[in-house]
């Protein structure tokens, strides 16, 4: 197996943070995993999986074996009376996979178009956007268990999906997701009940929704190829209905369980931190929830900025913001 020493990961994370891995390897076959697990045990270096690097803060030096996920493959498996069942390898690009389904006349994933990263990482935080989330379509996944050396199948219940959460987040580093299988409903109607999508006609095609979502995203988020970022940096806080009364002026999104979701971006902006800069890191001047790398930033710069933001928001609003990207 070809392991590369002192591998530069700067181009492998959308933040563009300077980072070097002790060892790195491209993983395109699940059969490589037992050997990688052995190398990890023998050298004492943890095995860390990297997909598209769009939801991570990479340390400047990663004393680890970093396996960059490249397992490919996508297929339509089956048509049931209700759904079309599709499977993709963990290393497939998520957006390309969405486009592939829509191009074949299989609708459902269009609201999730344009999310960077790989298929295999999508279940980790139950990716979501524009009124849809992965768990709406999830059927099962296969994952290699680094603890037992076996390949396990997880159904939706075993994944314990919630808002930007899954079982995989509570046991980080244990499972390597290999394939993801989704059930896309055969009876379909454009999902337009989200701000910005209501402008689409009622009979909009899945392709039209996809194009519209991609355009909306481009108008709101900086292109990470131009201005390094990891998308939304903090979760939107969820508070009790009673606590939400203290936020009269804030946008509020009541949830089905009676709690209220607040906008982390609004809290940061109202704390005077939109477009704020601390060294080479800052908040995006058009969207305070997005932290950006103005050039040459490291994980330390991002951590210092994140701490500053959390402190300001806690002092002003008494809300503890929770970071979304995972520190590897
Ligand atoms: C501009 C921008 C916009 C974004 N918009 C959204 C959005 O709208 N909605 C949303 O939910 N997210 C969004 N994100 C976050 C990100 O795109 C998603 O979380 C995505 O699923 C991360 O995929 P990745 O392959 O880049 O994962 P990485 O960043 O490489 O990894 C993330 C975590 O998953 C683990 N991991 C990755 N692959 C595997 C695997 N195969 N098996 C086990 N563990 C694995 C890694 O170890 C790490 O802990 C955005 C990010 C950016 C940069």
């Amino acid at each position: 197996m070809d392991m590369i020493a002192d591998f530069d990961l700067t181009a492998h994370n959308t933040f563009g943070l300077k980072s070097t891995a002790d060892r790195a390897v491209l993983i395109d076959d699940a059969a490589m995993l037992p050997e990688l697990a052995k190398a990890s045990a023998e050298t004492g270096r943890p095995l860390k999986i990297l997909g598209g690097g769009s939801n991570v803060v990479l340390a400047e030096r990663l004393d680890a074996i970093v396996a960059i996920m490249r397992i490919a493959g996508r297929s339509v498996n089956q048509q049931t009376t209700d759904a079309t069942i599709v499977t993709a390898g963990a290393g497939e690009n998520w957006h390309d996979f969405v486009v592939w389904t829509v191009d074949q006349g299989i609708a459902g994933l269009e609201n999730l178009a344009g999310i960077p990263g790989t298929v295999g990482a999508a279940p980790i935080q139950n990716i979501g956007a524009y009124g849809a989330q992965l768990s709406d379509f999830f059927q099962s996944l296969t994952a290699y268990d680094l603890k037992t050396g076996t390949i396990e199948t997880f159904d939706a219940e075993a994944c314990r999906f919630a808002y930007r959460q899954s079982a995989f987040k509570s046991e980080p580093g244990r499972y390597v997701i290999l394939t993801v299988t989704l059930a896309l409903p055969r009876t379909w109607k454009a999902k337009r009940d989200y701000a910005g999508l209501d402008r689409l006609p009622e009979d909009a095609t899945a392709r039209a929704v996809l194009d519209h979502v991609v355009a909306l995203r481009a108008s709101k988020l900086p292109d990470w190829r131009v201005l390094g970022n990891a998308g939304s940096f903090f979760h939107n806080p969820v508070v009790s209905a009673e606590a939400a009364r203290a936020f009269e002026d804030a946008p509020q999104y009541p949830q089905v369980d009676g709690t209220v979701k607040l906008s982390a971006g609004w809290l940061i902006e109202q704390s005077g931190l939109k477009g704020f800069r601390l060294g080479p890191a800052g908040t995006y001047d058009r969207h305070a929830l997005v932290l950006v790398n103005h050039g040459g930033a490291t994980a330390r710069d991002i951590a210092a900025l994140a701490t500053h933001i959390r402190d300001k928001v806690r002092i002003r609003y008494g809300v503890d913001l929770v970071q979304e990207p995972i520190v590897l």
Side-chain angles (χ1 to χ4, degrees), residues 110-111 188-194 196-213 216:
E110 54 287 338
N111 292 48
W188 174 85
K189 197 165 172 283
K191 197 167 172 26
R192 298 154 51 245
D193 52 348
Y194 196 90
L197 297 185
D198 44 1
R199 269 177 275 144
L200 283 162
E202 220 171 292
D203 61 351
T205 61
R207 183 78 224 189
V209 177
L210 186 153
D211 290 341
H212 195 71
V213 165
L216 275 176

Side-chain angles (χ1 to χ4, degrees), residues 29-249:
D29 190 337
M32 293 166 73
L33 281 160
E35 201 183 322
L36 279 171
K38 194 163 159 248
S40 164
E42 281 171 4
T43 60
R45 291 188 180 102
L47 180 64
K48 298 197 171 182
I49 309 298
L50 190 63
S54 64
N55 209 22
V56 283
V57 176
L58 296 183
E60 212 164 333
R61 182 84 202 176
L62 274 169
D63 189 14
I65 298 172
V66 174
I68 301 173
M69 179 51 73
R70 288 286 185 273
I71 294 177
R74 39 197 190 194
S75 58
V76 177
N77 306 344
Q78 199 194 340
Q79 297 269 7
T80 67
T81 39
D82 303 329
T84 305
I85 313 297
V86 291
T87 295
E92 291 285 338
N93 175 276
W94 171 260
H95 173 73
D96 292 349
F97 171 61
V98 172
V99 172
W100 176 79
T101 55
V102 170
D103 279 350
Q104 299 195 64
I106 308 168
L109 298 179
E110 54 287 338
N111 292 48
L112 298 174
I115 299 179
T118 54
V119 166
I124 306 276
Q125 73 152 356
N126 183 23
I127 56 167
Y130 292 92
Q133 53 186 347
L134 185 83
S135 53
D136 300 342
F137 310 99
F138 184 84
Q139 169 126 325
S140 65
L141 62 77
T142 58
Y144 183 84
D145 184 346
L146 287 163
K147 204 165 164 187
T148 61
T150 53
I151 293 180
E152 308 289 342
T153 300
F154 288 71
D155 62 13
E157 199 186 338
C159 290
R160 287 186 274 121
F161 289 122
Y163 167 65
R164 300 296 177 275
Q165 281 297 338
S166 73
F168 305 102
K169 274 203 166 176
S170 37
E171 279 190 280
R174 174 163 176 184
Y175 296 101
V176 182
I177 295 174
L178 305 170
T179 61
V180 177
T181 297
L182 304 177
L184 303 177
R186 292 182 74 176
T187 312
W188 174 85
K189 197 165 172 283
K191 197 167 172 26
R192 298 154 51 245
D193 52 348
Y194 196 90
L197 297 185
D198 44 1
R199 269 177 275 144
L200 283 162
E202 220 171 292
D203 61 351
T205 61
R207 183 78 224 189
V209 177
L210 186 153
D211 290 341
H212 195 71
V213 165
V214 168
L216 275 176
R217 294 181 67 94
S219 70
K220 289 186 176 161
L221 294 169
D223 180 347
W224 58 267
R225 294 164 199 86
V226 179
L227 190 60
N229 72 90
S232 304
F233 195 84
F234 297 103
H235 294 303
N236 286 320
V238 179
V239 300
S240 67
E242 197 191 333
R245 278 187 218 117
F247 298 90
E248 262 182 358
D249 304 339

